[in-house]
Amino acid sequence: MKRIRVGIIAGGWSSEREISLKSGKAVYEALDRRKYEPIFWDIKEDLELIFRERDRIDIAFPLLHGRIGEDGCIQGFLKILGIPFVGSDVTSCAISMNKKLTKQIFEANGLLVPRWISLKKGSPLSLKDLNFPLVVKPVSEGSSFGVSICRDEEELRKGIENAFRYDQEIIIEEYIAGKEITAPVIGYKELEVLPLIEIVPKRGHEFFDFEAKYKEGGADEICPARISKEMEEKVKETAKTAFNAIGCSIWARIDMIVRNEKIYLLEVNTIPGMTENSLFPLSAKKAGMGFSDLLDRLISLSLEVNGKR
């Protein structure tokens, strides 16, 4: 049987380049060689090569985290080339990368988010009815780059300055103390939410920042999450609603905070990390799905969506 040629696209130019390369290499190594013929591309180096080999690829697997990858750019490029790809389309990727648009869509769909404002560079600041502590974050950035928790005006000033290093517009939102839960979702017609993960950053990390995410021992990742069965079902239904509201397809990870029986949506990751320390493979393993099996399922669903099976 002819093997399926999978173009794994990683690297890129974003602040998450190194994590993207790790994700891409992990996927390259894990694909079942009996069924797949993987090709690894660092888009920063191989952009012309992707263009030249476009007719030889059955499906692309974008693993570009952050800008160029999760914001719809690579998806648009692949559509122009006529290459089917794993994951959500241009529009949903662009929306999910923009935290302002994501919050607006969540609210329009009756989902709860922390109270928030947006601030453009050079605009006057008015906190309205927001009270400390506050979270400051760039509108379009991933892996917690530029994120700060601020407990007073001086910390807020520094947090705003830091966030503007990454973007021209930022979000300031109320800090919600509670259980940080992430929900991996798979599907495009019938959705499945894999076992929920509770994230507990260790000492030295106020929240799930870059080091807590990617350095071994930076956080406890408890799967399944320590919540009641009733709350688990509510979280899973909320994750499905959020997935559909943004228009996601194939896979995404929905981040939220659970506090006092309320579920606060934070953001959607349309290209979750796939390194050895990543949350999506951890959840899949808890569901009895090995890394290779997870990849096979994502690719099979994507081929089905594109009418290739």
Side-chain angles (χ1 to χ4, degrees):
M1 185 177 71
K2 181 178 177 291
R3 292 188 296 168
I4 298 168
R5 290 175 63 88
V6 182
I8 298 164
I9 304 177
W13 299 267
S14 83
S15 50
E16 298 177 74
R17 170 177 169 79
E18 293 306 315
I19 301 304
S20 172
L21 288 171
K22 287 183 179 180
S23 286
K25 288 172 183 175
V27 169
Y28 178 85
E29 294 296 332
L31 280 173
D32 185 348
R33 296 303 195 273
R34 294 169 298 180
K35 185 173 182 179
Y36 299 106
E37 182 183 346
I39 302 166
F40 184 90
W41 288 316
D42 176 352
I43 194 171
K44 187 177 181 180
E45 311 293 337
D46 302 324
L47 186 59
E48 185 179 340
L49 191 60
I50 297 172
F51 179 79
R52 289 206 309 265
E53 296 192 0
R54 64 191 182 278
D55 293 330
R56 300 177 57 223
I57 298 301
D58 296 308
I59 190 163
F61 201 138
L63 288 157
L64 293 165
H65 307 315
R67 298 176 192 271
I68 308 300
E70 286 182 275
D71 58 3
C73 289
I74 187 63
Q75 290 78 13
F77 176 64
L78 292 170
K79 284 185 74 69
I80 290 170
L81 297 185
I83 302 175
F85 55 86
V86 175
S88 298
D89 63 15
V90 174
T91 304
S92 53
C93 286
I95 290 170
S96 68
M97 190 66 183
N98 187 301
K99 295 178 180 67
K100 180 179 177 180
L101 289 176
T102 299
K103 287 177 181 295
Q104 290 170 337
I105 289 174
F106 284 163
E107 290 176 323
N109 282 269
L111 296 170
L112 186 62
V113 300
R115 289 184 299 167
W116 64 283
I117 61 168
S118 61
L119 179 67
K120 291 185 177 179
K121 203 166 193 175
S123 298
L125 171 64
S126 172
L127 292 178
K128 297 182 180 179
D129 58 348
L130 294 182
N131 299 310
F132 291 103
L134 298 169
V135 182
V136 182
K137 58 183 73 171
V139 162
S140 297
E141 192 56 80
S143 281
S144 301
F145 284 108
V147 177
S148 304
I149 297 177
C150 308
R151 291 178 169 78
D152 56 40
E153 290 186 3
E154 178 59 20
E155 288 186 356
L156 178 61
R157 182 190 65 77
K158 291 179 181 177
I160 289 172
E161 185 178 294
N162 182 43
F164 275 133
R165 291 172 51 213
Y166 295 90
D167 208 340
Q168 296 296 305
E169 187 172 16
I170 65 174
I171 294 288
I172 302 174
E173 66 183 23
E174 64 178 342
Y175 173 75
I176 305 294
K179 286 184 185 289
E180 184 167 355
I181 304 291
T182 192
V185 183
I186 292 180
Y188 73 100
K189 287 182 180 177
E190 296 295 325
L191 299 182
E192 178 185 358
V193 182
L194 298 180
L196 305 176
I197 302 173
E198 178 184 348
I199 300 161
V200 184
K202 290 188 177 179
R203 177 176 288 185
H205 302 279
E206 283 192 288
F207 62 99
F208 200 41
D209 60 12
F210 182 84
E211 287 195 356
K213 279 183 170 77
Y214 298 115
K215 289 196 174 180
E216 190 172 348
D220 288 325
E221 295 158 355
I222 302 163
C223 185
R226 298 171 299 181
I227 54 178
S228 67
K229 192 67 179 175
E230 182 182 11
M231 180 53 71
E232 178 188 350
E233 291 306 313
K234 287 181 180 178
V235 168
K236 288 185 174 183
E237 286 306 311
T238 300
K240 289 179 183 179
T241 302
F243 187 95
N244 286 328
I246 302 299
C248 297
S249 181
I250 308 302
W251 70 321
R253 212 188 68 232
I254 317 296
D255 296 341
M256 59 198 84
I257 297 287
V258 175
R259 178 185 180 185
N260 296 335
E261 303 302 309
K262 291 183 179 179
I263 302 167
Y264 294 85
L265 270 295
L266 298 179
E267 60 183 82
V268 174
N269 302 276
T270 52
I271 303 182
M274 292 292 265
T275 70
E276 63 274 11
N277 296 324
S278 294
L279 299 172
F280 217 102
L282 169 65
S283 177
K285 185 177 181 180
K286 183 62 69 171
M289 198 186 317
F291 195 17
S292 180
D293 297 324
L294 170 62
L295 299 176
D296 182 58
R297 184 168 176 190
L298 295 176
I299 293 169
S300 296
L301 278 171
S302 301
L303 290 170
E304 189 177 326
V305 167
N306 287 278
K308 301 294 183 180
R309 297 194 64 146

